[in-house]
Amino acid sequence: MKTTIIIPTYNEAENLPKLLTALFDLPMADLNVLVIDDNSSDGTGQIADEFARANPKHVSVIHRAGKLGLGSAYIRGFTELLKGDSAAIGQMDADLSHAPRKVLELAAALETCDVAVGSRYVPGGSLDKDWPFWRKWLSTFGNFYARTILRLPIHDTTGGFRLWHRETLEALPLERVRSNGYVFQVEMAYVAHKLGFKFREVPIYFAERRWGKSKMSFKIQIEAALRVWALPRQYRGLKPLAK
């Protein structure tokens, strides 16, 4: 099954080569990567181009004019890949917080669901062992907050490690998705749930980045808190698809 992982990047020059090398070491003959770089100032885009030149059948790169946000990067990637022949389309952070080997488990899980989710909050999943208590509490509460308000069937609503069947993404009204920070993940899960798609969670260990700077900001957190309440109104009337 042809699988393509979308990796949005902004100043991930230290992480991207390690991540791409680890992904292509996996025993997946038809694994591909689409890097979407937001005009990184540290050469990340050029590094991605070098990988694409060395492996043009399996690596492609989209360069965007500036730092346009996570959500818009994924929508651009989904739109481009749905024009092609990828049977499964994935999402993954560039900072090595997601273990590449877990792609194998997500691919196996996708055989029995519509969306496979790498989850920090199911048995066997966990957050970085060195995170302070307040940070773990904030992450756990944020997921509980979104899950409770939206009545989502998954425990990790904000995580960005997912694998979708292309047919699932084709059925989603991507043009209506407006969130751009990590609440984008919540919105995508909410829309998929409203349409009746089935999720399966795979436990993961979420590691702290070792290189580069986090993109999290107070503005992104505020967007998440407010957008969760707006989603039911935005998608009022969206019904499960007939299967």
Side-chain angles (χ1 to χ4, degrees), residues 33-238:
V33 170
L34 170 60
V35 177
I36 302 181
D37 186 67
D38 273 6
N39 197 27
S40 295
S41 59
D42 67 349
T44 300
Q46 289 75 17
I47 291 171
D49 286 338
E50 291 172 6
F51 271 87
R53 283 192 292 269
N55 197 359
K57 291 184 178 180
H58 295 284
V59 180
S60 55
V61 186
I62 292 175
H63 295 276
R64 302 204 298 171
K67 192 177 180 182
L68 303 178
L70 182 74
S72 66
Y74 276 125
I75 294 297
R76 174 71 184 277
F78 293 150
T79 302
E80 290 296 320
L81 292 176
L82 289 175
K83 297 175 184 176
D85 60 351
S86 294
I89 297 172
Q91 301 173 244
M92 192 174 190
D93 290 351
D95 61 6
L96 297 172
S97 57
H98 300 143
R101 67 181 182 278
K102 283 289 182 174
V103 171
L104 298 172
E105 293 184 40
L106 291 177
L110 196 63
E111 295 179 3
T112 60
C113 65
D114 301 302
V115 192
V117 178
S119 180
R120 299 162 289 182
Y121 301 108
V122 293
S126 60
L127 297 166
D128 189 281
K129 57 183 174 55
D130 293 326
W131 273 17
F133 173 80
W134 67 266
R135 191 174 176 188
K136 290 182 178 179
W137 180 87
L138 185 63
S139 177
T140 303
F141 175 76
N143 273 278
F144 173 78
Y145 175 86
R147 183 182 182 224
T148 302
I149 292 170
L150 299 176
R151 300 180 182 179
L152 290 171
I154 55 174
H155 296 80
D156 199 332
T157 64
T158 62
F161 197 12
R162 297 176 179 175
L163 195 59
W164 302 76
H165 277 294
R166 72 169 293 122
E167 293 83 4
T168 305
L169 286 173
E170 286 174 332
L172 267 58
L174 297 177
E175 73 284 354
R176 293 175 61 181
V177 177
R178 295 288 177 264
S179 303
N180 213 18
Y182 72 83
V183 72
F184 167 80
Q185 313 291 6
V186 178
E187 183 168 349
M188 288 290 290
Y190 180 67
V191 174
H193 174 56
K194 288 275 287 184
L195 291 174
F197 288 109
K198 180 182 177 182
F199 296 81
R200 183 175 170 189
E201 292 185 272
V202 172
I204 64 167
Y205 172 72
F206 186 83
E208 178 63 282
R209 68 163 57 238
R210 294 178 61 188
W211 300 278
K213 294 183 179 180
S214 172
K215 311 306 185 294
M216 184 60 67
S217 68
F218 182 68
K219 180 181 178 181
I220 290 174
Q221 292 173 329
I222 291 297
E223 180 201 17
L226 298 178
R227 284 287 295 152
V228 165
W229 290 99
L231 293 178
R233 181 174 65 254
Q234 180 179 340
Y235 292 102
R236 183 184 296 120
L238 197 64

Side-chain angles (χ1 to χ4, degrees), residues 8-50:
T9 58
Y10 181 73
N11 290 348
E12 297 288 358
E14 293 172 295
N15 293 311
L16 187 62
K18 299 178 180 65
L19 175 56
L20 293 181
T21 299
L23 284 173
F24 289 117
D25 280 343
L26 295 174
M28 293 182 69
D30 212 356
L31 179 65
N32 307 272
V33 170
L34 170 60
V35 177
I36 302 181
D37 186 67
D38 273 6
N39 197 27
S40 295
S41 59
D42 67 349
T44 300
Q46 289 75 17
I47 291 171
D49 286 338
E50 291 172 6

